[in-house]
Amino acid sequence: MKYKHYSFDLWQTLIRSNPDFKLKRAEYFFNHFNRQNKSIDEVISIIRDIDIMCNSTNEVVGANIHAYEMYTMILHKLGYDLSPFTQKDIQSICNIVEVIFLNNPPVLYDQDTLNVLKELKSSGATISILSNTAFIQGVTLRKFIETELKDIFLFQMYSDETGSSKPNKKMFIDMMYSVYRFRLMSPITQQHIVHVGDNIISDIGGATNIGLDSIQINTNHKTIKDLLWAK
């Protein structure tokens, strides 16, 4: 086998968002914090714009804008008075959104996703997740993974927990150290590790910057099934 460990991006690589979740999340803010009586389409647009802006900022700066901050941006854009708010209040919003998320979970990006992951694992490779986060925190994503993709991953790393975002070199270096630590009984070198993702900047560029092999899927002519020929 050429690769003994596969590091995967999560969003748009292994999973995609459930449209019902995005609508129900927007409806929650529309119903509870909409002081300016914006339309539901305007609320959806506000959330999407903040998501795109923060993701782009994280990619450029290499740090991580926390979900707490992103939710306060939504409230601000909706004209809600933030002066009486505390961290506990924002955490309450996160908890409610988490319930909406888990009740309307993401779907696997590709019909072959689960079978390919299982085949890679059965071939002797180990697998991990290296993902930037936005509104949905790592703690919530772990709950989803435990339900839908149980026993697949050796470990999971999320930017809200590490404090850095891809393509920051630190994310990839920390990932490789984690591989070495978890595989003490079956050690491997960097040349046996590959990062797989959809994003040419955060995934492919980030891996390339530290000399790590990478494979782009879903945004080019390749799908996850092509990994079976790259093993």
Side-chain angles (χ1 to χ4, degrees):
M1 288 175 58
K2 180 177 182 181
Y3 299 118
K4 297 180 180 180
H5 184 86
Y6 291 80
S7 165
F8 278 92
D9 171 51
L10 185 58
W11 292 104
Q12 305 305 314
T13 298
L14 297 180
I15 63 174
R16 64 178 89 205
S17 186
N18 186 333
D20 291 340
F21 161 68
K22 290 186 175 182
L23 177 60
K24 292 181 184 299
R25 177 181 60 183
E27 289 175 342
Y28 166 66
F29 284 98
F30 175 84
N31 291 326
H32 294 87
F33 303 102
N34 193 12
R35 292 289 176 86
Q36 297 179 341
N37 294 317
K38 295 184 182 295
S39 68
I40 187 66
D41 287 340
E42 288 177 304
V43 175
I44 291 172
S45 179
I46 286 172
I47 297 174
R48 182 179 62 249
D49 289 348
I50 290 173
D51 191 16
I52 293 171
M53 176 188 69
C54 291
N55 181 65
S56 297
T57 301
N58 288 338
E59 287 183 350
V60 172
V61 177
N64 180 79
I65 300 174
H66 198 276
Y68 288 0
E69 299 168 277
M70 296 178 70
Y71 284 123
T72 59
M73 292 178 195
I74 294 175
L75 298 181
H76 174 73
K77 287 290 188 180
L78 292 175
Y80 201 84
D81 182 12
L82 289 168
S83 59
F85 261 62
T86 65
Q87 183 173 325
K88 184 177 179 180
D89 295 319
I90 298 298
Q91 180 61 57
S92 178
I93 291 176
C94 287
N95 292 342
I96 292 171
V97 173
E98 177 182 84
V99 171
I100 297 172
F101 176 82
L102 295 175
N103 286 339
N104 302 272
V107 296
L108 295 179
Y109 188 91
D110 190 294
Q111 63 180 2
D112 296 314
T113 295
L114 184 57
N115 287 336
V116 170
L117 292 175
K118 287 181 176 179
E119 186 163 345
L120 290 174
K121 188 172 181 180
S122 67
S123 71
T126 48
I127 306 171
S128 62
I129 291 176
L130 186 67
S131 178
N132 289 352
T133 58
F135 289 112
I136 307 303
Q137 300 175 78
V139 63
T140 303
L141 292 169
R142 291 175 190 278
K143 293 177 183 178
F144 165 76
I145 295 294
E146 180 66 18
T147 301
E148 302 295 332
L149 294 167
K150 186 177 175 64
D151 299 327
I152 296 290
F153 303 105
L154 184 64
F155 61 87
Q156 302 168 51
M157 293 179 63
Y158 298 103
S159 61
D160 67 303
E161 299 171 351
T162 65
S164 56
S165 295
K166 298 177 296 183
N168 191 328
K169 290 182 180 180
K170 186 177 184 302
M171 280 285 277
F172 292 90
I173 291 171
D174 288 349
M175 177 271 289
M176 288 192 294
Y177 280 136
S178 293
V179 174
Y180 301 148
R181 179 166 58 88
F182 277 99
R183 290 190 51 135
L184 282 176
M185 302 303 294
S186 180
I188 61 176
T189 61
Q190 179 173 329
Q191 66 182 5
H192 294 127
I193 302 173
V194 63
H195 179 71
V196 182
D198 69 294
N199 191 299
I200 192 68
I201 297 173
S202 63
D203 292 308
I204 309 308
T208 301
N209 283 342
I210 64 164
L212 185 68
D213 281 0
S214 62
I215 299 175
Q216 183 182 358
I217 63 173
N218 300 339
T219 47
N220 55 2
H221 62 282
K222 292 184 178 180
T223 69
I224 194 168
K225 204 167 183 179
D226 287 286
L227 300 183
L228 299 178
W229 318 120
K231 346 187 255 195

